[in-house]
Amino acid sequence: RPRIHQSKLTLLRGFASVELKKYDPPSWVPDHLVKPKCRIKLAHLPTPVHQWDVASASLKTDIWIKRDDYTGSELSGNKVRKLEFLLADALQQGCDSVITVGGIQSNHCRATASAARRCGLEPHVILRTSDTEKDPGLVGNLMVERLVGANIHLV
């Protein structure tokens, strides 16, 4: 179980230290939805918004792109935004592991394994593959999952 320092809500798990921050959802969130109570900081936010000049010129309109690829190295993309809430909930409940499922080169599985390890949680990734007997090696997302010490289960 994590030790919780009540004044800062800091969870200490081995070498990992993550701060649970109280979260107040925006007023426009409907009351019927379950609202998260806390989050952890994993992403580098806010990310910039850039005008896409190439498409804008040919279409004679302005096109703007939200650059979620700037959220952080192994956690890039929009996946890290939901992981800030999901992993905060797991830590708050006293979980010690996280399990996720995806394809053999799943970006979501890579991000979840990296974020879980950063939070001191044991990552388990269940990966779909056409050949469960053959080791898929150290390629792409699978290499990152192995580097962070994820428990890999091929199905």
Side-chain angles (χ1 to χ4, degrees):
R1 289 230 167 224
R3 293 177 297 162
I4 301 176
H5 185 275
Q6 293 299 326
S7 64
K8 290 173 84 180
L9 284 174
T10 300
L11 292 158
L12 302 172
R13 302 177 73 84
F15 293 108
S17 175
V18 243
E19 188 174 340
L20 283 175
K21 296 184 179 193
K22 185 177 182 307
Y23 177 74
D24 293 315
S27 59
W28 50 261
V29 175
D31 288 334
H32 69 277
L33 294 179
V34 176
K35 297 172 185 142
K37 295 176 179 53
C38 62
R39 75 187 298 175
I40 55 177
K41 184 180 182 326
L42 296 171
H44 302 288
L45 299 174
T47 57
V49 177
H50 291 157
Q51 187 172 15
W52 192 21
D53 295 327
V54 175
S56 298
S58 65
L59 297 174
K60 307 230 186 303
T61 187
D62 290 339
I63 296 179
W64 296 83
I65 299 173
K66 178 72 169 154
R67 296 299 305 271
D68 269 3
D69 55 321
Y70 284 17
T71 55
S73 59
E74 79 283 7
L75 299 175
S76 65
N78 61 356
K79 292 147 195 73
V80 68
R81 292 177 185 272
K82 73 175 180 179
L83 287 169
E84 288 187 331
F85 294 102
L86 294 173
L87 295 179
D89 186 48
L91 290 168
Q92 197 172 40
Q93 291 185 48
C95 298
D96 60 6
S97 299
V98 172
I99 302 169
T100 192
V101 180
I104 194 73
Q105 288 297 331
S106 167
N107 292 331
H108 168 74
C109 288
R110 180 212 61 228
T112 301
S114 298
R117 186 59 77 194
R118 187 186 292 182
C119 295
L121 295 167
E122 187 70 25
H124 291 265
V125 293
I126 301 170
L127 302 173
R128 292 182 306 274
T129 181
S130 58
D131 187 354
T132 59
E133 300 301 316
K134 180 182 173 197
D135 185 336
L138 294 172
V139 182
N141 290 330
L142 188 58
M143 181 176 74
V144 175
E145 292 159 359
R146 289 187 170 177
L147 284 171
V148 300
N151 298 284
I152 297 170
H153 311 274
L154 301 176
V155 295

